[in-house]
Amino acid sequence: MFSLTCRSASQLRAAGALGSFPGAQRAQAMPTCARARLAAAAREAVQRLSRQEPRIEHVNDEPSRLQMLRFARRVVVQQATTALAQLDEWIAVEERREAERRRGEEMRPPPAEWLIQYGLNHTNVDAVHTGECWAAAESGRCRPVTRQQALEALRQQVPACVHCRPDTALGILD
């Protein structure tokens, strides 16, 4: 809804609503019929003015160089703040990952010194390996054992791995 406060008295006078009426203080001193005529004339003026294109007066369309520089500074500060917040988030995520990796390494049990490789049916014992044997790692069918269990398996004629030679490392030679 259009408000009378948006238009100045000179604009209403130009539209014919106020005529020679100078201000609002005198409107209260007027007789009721004159006030009614004034209100009707104001309504007509408002309708005429609302049909017209609104004019913007005394506005400089070009911002000054100083205003543009201040605006550019605000934009740069906002973008830098956003970028720093994102970088801080990335750093925090990476620190959490690093802490989890270190915790995982600390909790990991030490590698087994001796391994026994089982057959496909998981009951037959196929070979005895040292803990660093590459062939045992590739088979995926090895379980860690103690030194005593590896010695016992070799004594029961379980073959020693030909690559890592656990019988030599255990001191048993045929």
Side-chain angles (χ1 to χ4, degrees):
M1 183 71 194
F2 184 81
S3 170
L4 282 176
T5 59
C6 294
R7 301 290 179 175
S8 68
S10 61
Q11 290 174 324
L12 290 174
R13 254 188 237 106
L18 293 178
S20 62
F21 184 73
Q25 285 94 14
R26 290 170 103 192
Q28 293 174 355
M30 291 174 57
T32 309
C33 63
R35 264 193 250 152
R37 277 186 274 145
L38 179 63
R43 277 193 295 273
E44 288 178 27
V46 167
Q47 287 174 353
R48 271 184 266 143
L49 287 174
S50 63
R51 282 183 244 137
Q52 294 176 358
E53 287 293 319
R55 292 185 331 187
I56 300 175
E57 297 177 14
H58 306 293
V59 175
N60 186 2
D61 289 341
E62 293 292 320
S64 72
R65 181 170 170 78
L66 182 61
Q67 289 172 332
M68 290 190 303
L69 289 171
R70 285 185 177 148
F71 174 76
R73 184 183 189 284
R74 286 193 309 267
V75 169
V76 168
V77 166
Q78 180 185 16
Q79 290 176 348
T81 303
T82 303
L84 283 174
Q86 187 176 31
L87 282 171
D88 290 342
E89 187 177 318
W90 290 343
I91 289 170
V93 167
E94 197 59 36
E95 285 173 346
R96 279 195 300 272
R97 284 183 188 155
E98 185 66 25
E100 288 173 7
R101 186 189 61 75
R102 271 186 266 128
R103 225 181 356 252
E105 285 178 1
E106 291 169 1
M107 294 178 69
R108 182 176 295 140
E113 290 186 47
W114 311 103
L115 301 169
I116 291 185
Q117 179 179 342
Y118 288 89
L120 294 175
N121 63 2
H122 299 291
T123 56
N124 297 341
V125 178
D126 282 351
V128 176
H129 297 274
T130 61
E132 301 90 31
C133 183
W134 62 269
E138 284 186 8
S139 75
R141 295 178 287 157
C142 294
R143 293 189 200 143
V145 294
T146 63
R147 178 180 174 88
Q148 290 304 105
Q149 290 171 325
L151 280 170
E152 186 62 34
L154 288 173
R155 286 188 188 122
Q156 291 180 3
Q157 302 302 316
V158 174
C161 174
V162 295
H163 303 289
C164 62
R165 302 302 303 169
D167 51 351
T168 307
L170 287 168
I172 300 176
L173 297 174
D174 292 335

mmCIF file of all heavy atoms in Angstrom, residues 106-138:
data_model
loop_
_atom_site.group_PDB
_atom_site.id
_atom_site.type_symbol
_atom_site.label_atom_id
_atom_site.label_comp_id
_atom_site.label_asym_id
_atom_site.label_seq_id
_atom_site.Cartn_x
_atom_site.Cartn_y
_atom_site.Cartn_z
ATOM 1 N N GLU A 106 50.149 -48.160 17.695
ATOM 2 C CA GLU A 106 50.510 -48.498 19.070
ATOM 3 C C GLU A 106 49.762 -49.734 19.561
ATOM 4 O O GLU A 106 50.304 -50.534 20.318
ATOM 5 C CB GLU A 106 50.207 -47.322 19.999
ATOM 6 C CG GLU A 106 51.111 -46.128 19.787
ATOM 7 C CD GLU A 106 50.627 -44.898 20.525
ATOM 8 O OE1 GLU A 106 49.591 -44.980 21.227
ATOM 9 O OE2 GLU A 106 51.287 -43.849 20.402
ATOM 10 N N MET A 107 48.529 -49.895 19.135
ATOM 11 C CA MET A 107 47.710 -51.013 19.599
ATOM 12 C C MET A 107 47.954 -52.295 18.803
ATOM 13 O O MET A 107 47.537 -53.369 19.236
ATOM 14 C CB MET A 107 46.234 -50.636 19.535
ATOM 15 C CG MET A 107 45.854 -49.521 20.498
ATOM 16 S SD MET A 107 44.148 -49.053 20.390
ATOM 17 C CE MET A 107 43.360 -50.502 21.061
ATOM 18 N N ARG A 108 48.587 -52.172 17.634
ATOM 19 C CA ARG A 108 48.830 -53.346 16.792
ATOM 20 C C ARG A 108 49.787 -54.290 17.507
ATOM 21 O O ARG A 108 50.823 -53.877 18.025
ATOM 22 C CB ARG A 108 49.442 -52.908 15.469
ATOM 23 C CG ARG A 108 49.683 -54.056 14.509
ATOM 24 C CD ARG A 108 50.203 -53.582 13.180
ATOM 25 N NE ARG A 108 49.180 -52.775 12.540
ATOM 26 C CZ ARG A 108 49.434 -51.668 11.858
ATOM 27 N NH1 ARG A 108 50.662 -51.229 11.722
ATOM 28 N NH2 ARG A 108 48.457 -50.982 11.315
ATOM 29 N N PRO A 109 49.434 -55.552 17.541
ATOM 30 C CA PRO A 109 50.351 -56.499 18.188
ATOM 31 C C PRO A 109 51.630 -56.652 17.359
ATOM 32 O O PRO A 109 51.626 -56.426 16.147
ATOM 33 C CB PRO A 109 49.552 -57.808 18.208
ATOM 34 C CG PRO A 109 48.529 -57.668 17.144
ATOM 35 C CD PRO A 109 48.242 -56.206 17.016
ATOM 36 N N PRO A 110 52.717 -57.015 17.989
ATOM 37 C CA PRO A 110 53.964 -57.182 17.225
ATOM 38 C C PRO A 110 53.817 -58.350 16.246
ATOM 39 O O PRO A 110 53.043 -59.278 16.480
ATOM 40 C CB PRO A 110 55.007 -57.488 18.301
ATOM 41 C CG PRO A 110 54.237 -57.993 19.462
ATOM 42 C CD PRO A 110 52.896 -57.346 19.396
ATOM 43 N N PRO A 111 54.538 -58.288 15.139
ATOM 44 C CA PRO A 111 54.433 -59.384 14.167
ATOM 45 C C PRO A 111 54.934 -60.697 14.790
ATOM 46 O O PRO A 111 55.844 -60.713 15.618
ATOM 47 C CB PRO A 111 55.311 -58.933 13.005
ATOM 48 C CG PRO A 111 56.200 -57.882 13.553
ATOM 49 C CD PRO A 111 55.491 -57.272 14.711
ATOM 50 N N ALA A 112 54.302 -61.762 14.350
ATOM 51 C CA ALA A 112 54.681 -63.079 14.869
ATOM 52 C C ALA A 112 56.075 -63.460 14.369
ATOM 53 O O ALA A 112 56.453 -63.151 13.237
ATOM 54 C CB ALA A 112 53.666 -64.119 14.415
ATOM 55 N N GLU A 113 56.836 -64.150 15.228
ATOM 56 C CA GLU A 113 58.162 -64.592 14.809
ATOM 57 C C GLU A 113 58.085 -65.882 14.006
ATOM 58 O O GLU A 113 58.934 -66.133 13.152
ATOM 59 C CB GLU A 113 59.043 -64.799 16.038
ATOM 60 C CG GLU A 113 59.413 -63.501 16.718
ATOM 61 C CD GLU A 113 60.407 -63.739 17.831
ATOM 62 O OE1 GLU A 113 61.400 -64.475 17.597
ATOM 63 O OE2 GLU A 113 60.190 -63.208 18.925
ATOM 64 N N TRP A 114 57.066 -66.693 14.277
ATOM 65 C CA TRP A 114 56.936 -67.989 13.621
ATOM 66 C C TRP A 114 55.497 -68.186 13.156
ATOM 67 O O TRP A 114 54.544 -67.780 13.811
ATOM 68 C CB TRP A 114 57.333 -69.125 14.571
ATOM 69 C CG TRP A 114 58.646 -68.852 15.217
ATOM 70 C CD1 TRP A 114 58.873 -68.434 16.477
ATOM 71 C CD2 TRP A 114 59.911 -68.949 14.589
ATOM 72 N NE1 TRP A 114 60.204 -68.252 16.689
ATOM 73 C CE2 TRP A 114 60.879 -68.573 15.542
ATOM 74 C CE3 TRP A 114 60.357 -69.314 13.326
ATOM 75 C CZ2 TRP A 114 62.233 -68.548 15.268
ATOM 76 C CZ3 TRP A 114 61.708 -69.284 13.058
ATOM 77 C CH2 TRP A 114 62.630 -68.908 14.026
ATOM 78 N N LEU A 115 55.367 -68.807 12.006
ATOM 79 C CA LEU A 115 54.044 -69.049 11.422
ATOM 80 C C LEU A 115 53.936 -70.500 10.985
ATOM 81 O O LEU A 115 54.917 -71.098 10.548
ATOM 82 C CB LEU A 115 53.820 -68.149 10.199
ATOM 83 C CG LEU A 115 53.899 -66.643 10.409
ATOM 84 C CD1 LEU A 115 53.919 -65.928 9.059
ATOM 85 C CD2 LEU A 115 52.713 -66.171 11.224
ATOM 86 N N ILE A 116 52.720 -71.020 11.079
ATOM 87 C CA ILE A 116 52.436 -72.347 10.525
ATOM 88 C C ILE A 116 51.377 -72.153 9.458
ATOM 89 O O ILE A 116 50.350 -71.529 9.694
ATOM 90 C CB ILE A 116 51.952 -73.337 11.601
ATOM 91 C CG1 ILE A 116 53.110 -73.666 12.533
ATOM 92 C CG2 ILE A 116 51.382 -74.589 10.964
ATOM 93 C CD1 ILE A 116 52.792 -74.715 13.564
ATOM 94 N N GLN A 117 51.675 -72.724 8.275
ATOM 95 C CA GLN A 117 50.759 -72.616 7.141
ATOM 96 C C GLN A 117 49.895 -73.864 7.105
ATOM 97 O O GLN A 117 50.393 -74.988 7.115
ATOM 98 C CB GLN A 117 51.540 -72.483 5.833
ATOM 99 C CG GLN A 117 50.667 -72.389 4.603
ATOM 100 C CD GLN A 117 51.492 -72.238 3.341
ATOM 101 O OE1 GLN A 117 52.663 -71.877 3.392
ATOM 102 N NE2 GLN A 117 50.878 -72.523 2.217
ATOM 103 N N TYR A 118 48.566 -73.627 7.056
ATOM 104 C CA TYR A 118 47.619 -74.737 7.010
ATOM 105 C C TYR A 118 47.162 -74.961 5.584
ATOM 106 O O TYR A 118 47.211 -74.062 4.741
ATOM 107 C CB TYR A 118 46.415 -74.446 7.915
ATOM 108 C CG TYR A 118 46.773 -74.527 9.373
ATOM 109 C CD1 TYR A 118 47.235 -73.419 10.062
ATOM 110 C CD2 TYR A 118 46.685 -75.728 10.055
ATOM 111 C CE1 TYR A 118 47.591 -73.501 11.388
ATOM 112 C CE2 TYR A 118 47.036 -75.821 11.391
ATOM 113 C CZ TYR A 118 47.486 -74.694 12.048
ATOM 114 O OH TYR A 118 47.839 -74.801 13.365
ATOM 115 N N GLY A 119 46.674 -76.174 5.315
ATOM 116 C CA GLY A 119 46.194 -76.527 3.981
ATOM 117 C C GLY A 119 44.837 -75.900 3.692
ATOM 118 O O GLY A 119 44.272 -75.153 4.501
ATOM 119 N N LEU A 120 44.297 -76.260 2.549
ATOM 120 C CA LEU A 120 43.021 -75.697 2.126
ATOM 121 C C LEU A 120 41.867 -76.116 3.033
ATOM 122 O O LEU A 120 40.895 -75.396 3.161
ATOM 123 C CB LEU A 120 42.732 -76.084 0.683
ATOM 124 C CG LEU A 120 43.691 -75.482 -0.356
ATOM 125 C CD1 LEU A 120 43.373 -76.026 -1.737
ATOM 126 C CD2 LEU A 120 43.632 -73.973 -0.343
ATOM 127 N N ASN A 121 41.984 -77.301 3.657
ATOM 128 C CA ASN A 121 40.906 -77.743 4.541
ATOM 129 C C ASN A 121 41.100 -77.245 5.973
ATOM 130 O O ASN A 121 40.327 -77.594 6.845
ATOM 131 C CB ASN A 121 40.774 -79.256 4.513
ATOM 132 C CG ASN A 121 42.010 -79.951 5.032
ATOM 133 O OD1 ASN A 121 42.980 -79.307 5.451
ATOM 134 N ND2 ASN A 121 41.980 -81.275 4.990
ATOM 135 N N HIS A 122 42.117 -76.464 6.241
ATOM 136 C CA HIS A 122 42.427 -75.827 7.526
ATOM 137 C C HIS A 122 42.751 -76.822 8.649
ATOM 138 O O HIS A 122 42.763 -76.450 9.805
ATOM 139 C CB HIS A 122 41.288 -74.893 7.977
ATOM 140 C CG HIS A 122 41.031 -73.771 7.033
ATOM 141 N ND1 HIS A 122 41.900 -72.734 6.846
ATOM 142 C CD2 HIS A 122 39.990 -73.534 6.184
ATOM 143 C CE1 HIS A 122 41.408 -71.896 5.937
ATOM 144 N NE2 HIS A 122 40.253 -72.363 5.530
ATOM 145 N N THR A 123 42.982 -78.071 8.311
ATOM 146 C CA THR A 123 43.387 -79.034 9.344
ATOM 147 C C THR A 123 44.795 -79.541 9.083
ATOM 148 O O THR A 123 45.534 -79.814 10.023
ATOM 149 C CB THR A 123 42.409 -80.220 9.403
ATOM 150 O OG1 THR A 123 42.316 -80.823 8.118
ATOM 151 C CG2 THR A 123 41.038 -79.751 9.868
ATOM 152 N N ASN A 124 45.171 -79.708 7.828
ATOM 153 C CA ASN A 124 46.511 -80.194 7.489
ATOM 154 C C ASN A 124 47.523 -79.068 7.652
ATOM 155 O O ASN A 124 47.287 -77.941 7.245
ATOM 156 C CB ASN A 124 46.574 -80.687 6.045
ATOM 157 C CG ASN A 124 45.662 -81.871 5.804
ATOM 158 O OD1 ASN A 124 45.249 -82.539 6.753
ATOM 159 N ND2 ASN A 124 45.357 -82.120 4.545
ATOM 160 N N VAL A 125 48.671 -79.398 8.237
ATOM 161 C CA VAL A 125 49.751 -78.428 8.378
ATOM 162 C C VAL A 125 50.671 -78.599 7.174
ATOM 163 O O VAL A 125 51.194 -79.674 6.931
ATOM 164 C CB VAL A 125 50.512 -78.646 9.699
ATOM 165 C CG1 VAL A 125 51.663 -77.662 9.808
ATOM 166 C CG2 VAL A 125 49.568 -78.508 10.875
ATOM 167 N N ASP A 126 50.862 -77.511 6.415
ATOM 168 C CA ASP A 126 51.651 -77.584 5.184
ATOM 169 C C ASP A 126 53.109 -77.200 5.384
ATOM 170 O O ASP A 126 53.990 -77.813 4.790
ATOM 171 C CB ASP A 126 51.058 -76.653 4.123
ATOM 172 C CG ASP A 126 49.820 -77.245 3.467
ATOM 173 O OD1 ASP A 126 49.530 -78.420 3.694
ATOM 174 O OD2 ASP A 126 49.134 -76.503 2.734
ATOM 175 N N ALA A 127 53.389 -76.145 6.170
ATOM 176 C CA ALA A 127 54.774 -75.694 6.288
ATOM 177 C C ALA A 127 54.930 -74.812 7.517
ATOM 178 O O ALA A 127 53.974 -74.293 8.069
ATOM 179 C CB ALA A 127 55.189 -74.914 5.041
ATOM 180 N N VAL A 128 56.226 -74.652 7.919
ATOM 181 C CA VAL A 128 56.587 -73.739 9.004
ATOM 182 C C VAL A 128 57.359 -72.588 8.359
ATOM 183 O O VAL A 128 58.203 -72.806 7.490
ATOM 184 C CB VAL A 128 57.456 -74.460 10.061
ATOM 185 C CG1 VAL A 128 57.904 -73.493 11.137
ATOM 186 C CG2 VAL A 128 56.723 -75.650 10.645
ATOM 187 N N HIS A 129 57.034 -71.344 8.788
ATOM 188 C CA HIS A 129 57.661 -70.138 8.219
ATOM 189 C C HIS A 129 58.186 -69.247 9.338
ATOM 190 O O HIS A 129 57.726 -69.321 10.472
ATOM 191 C CB HIS A 129 56.633 -69.309 7.429
ATOM 192 C CG HIS A 129 56.058 -69.995 6.244
ATOM 193 N ND1 HIS A 129 56.661 -69.968 5.020
ATOM 194 C CD2 HIS A 129 54.914 -70.716 6.104
ATOM 195 C CE1 HIS A 129 55.902 -70.635 4.158
ATOM 196 N NE2 HIS A 129 54.837 -71.100 4.803
ATOM 197 N N THR A 130 59.122 -68.367 8.971
ATOM 198 C CA THR A 130 59.495 -67.285 9.886
ATOM 199 C C THR A 130 58.455 -66.176 9.716
ATOM 200 O O THR A 130 57.700 -66.161 8.735
ATOM 201 C CB THR A 130 60.901 -66.732 9.575
ATOM 202 O OG1 THR A 130 60.894 -66.199 8.253
ATOM 203 C CG2 THR A 130 61.961 -67.797 9.728
ATOM 204 N N GLY A 131 58.422 -65.214 10.627
ATOM 205 C CA GLY A 131 57.434 -64.142 10.573
ATOM 206 C C GLY A 131 57.589 -63.200 9.396
ATOM 207 O O GLY A 131 56.627 -62.572 8.967
ATOM 208 N N GLU A 132 58.795 -63.081 8.821
ATOM 209 C CA GLU A 132 59.030 -62.154 7.715
ATOM 210 C C GLU A 132 58.930 -62.805 6.345
ATOM 211 O O GLU A 132 59.240 -62.177 5.339
ATOM 212 C CB GLU A 132 60.427 -61.518 7.822
ATOM 213 C CG GLU A 132 60.679 -60.737 9.087
ATOM 214 C CD GLU A 132 61.271 -61.607 10.193
ATOM 215 O OE1 GLU A 132 62.002 -62.559 9.879
ATOM 216 O OE2 GLU A 132 60.976 -61.330 11.358
ATOM 217 N N CYS A 133 58.509 -64.049 6.258
ATOM 218 C CA CYS A 133 58.501 -64.774 4.987
ATOM 219 C C CYS A 133 57.447 -64.215 4.022
ATOM 220 O O CYS A 133 56.281 -64.088 4.366
ATOM 221 C CB CYS A 133 58.231 -66.252 5.235
ATOM 222 S SG CYS A 133 58.288 -67.232 3.717
ATOM 223 N N TRP A 134 57.889 -63.905 2.813
ATOM 224 C CA TRP A 134 56.975 -63.359 1.815
ATOM 225 C C TRP A 134 56.009 -64.422 1.318
ATOM 226 O O TRP A 134 54.873 -64.125 0.960
ATOM 227 C CB TRP A 134 57.745 -62.758 0.647
ATOM 228 C CG TRP A 134 58.595 -63.746 -0.102
ATOM 229 C CD1 TRP A 134 59.893 -64.050 0.144
ATOM 230 C CD2 TRP A 134 58.184 -64.563 -1.189
ATOM 231 N NE1 TRP A 134 60.340 -65.012 -0.712
ATOM 232 C CE2 TRP A 134 59.296 -65.350 -1.555
ATOM 233 C CE3 TRP A 134 57.004 -64.726 -1.892
ATOM 234 C CZ2 TRP A 134 59.248 -66.279 -2.584
ATOM 235 C CZ3 TRP A 134 56.952 -65.639 -2.922
ATOM 236 C CH2 TRP A 134 58.074 -66.410 -3.268
ATOM 237 N N ALA A 135 56.423 -65.663 1.275
ATOM 238 C CA ALA A 135 55.554 -66.741 0.794
ATOM 239 C C ALA A 135 54.398 -66.970 1.767
ATOM 240 O O ALA A 135 53.270 -67.262 1.355
ATOM 241 C CB ALA A 135 56.366 -68.027 0.615
ATOM 242 N N ALA A 136 54.666 -66.820 3.053
ATOM 243 C CA ALA A 136 53.602 -66.983 4.044
ATOM 244 C C ALA A 136 52.582 -65.850 3.918
ATOM 245 O O ALA A 136 51.376 -66.073 4.061
ATOM 246 C CB ALA A 136 54.194 -66.994 5.451
ATOM 247 N N ALA A 137 53.075 -64.652 3.648
ATOM 248 C CA ALA A 137 52.166 -63.517 3.509
ATOM 249 C C ALA A 137 51.267 -63.679 2.293
ATOM 250 O O ALA A 137 50.101 -63.299 2.321
ATOM 251 C CB ALA A 137 52.962 -62.228 3.402
ATOM 252 N N GLU A 138 51.794 -64.272 1.220
ATOM 253 C CA GLU A 138 51.000 -64.455 0.007
ATOM 254 C C GLU A 138 49.976 -65.568 0.148
ATOM 255 O O GLU A 138 48.927 -65.520 -0.478
ATOM 256 C CB GLU A 138 51.908 -64.753 -1.179
ATOM 257 C CG GLU A 138 52.623 -63.546 -1.708
ATOM 258 C CD GLU A 138 53.396 -63.833 -2.972
ATOM 259 O OE1 GLU A 138 53.256 -64.948 -3.527
ATOM 260 O OE2 GLU A 138 54.132 -62.942 -3.397
#
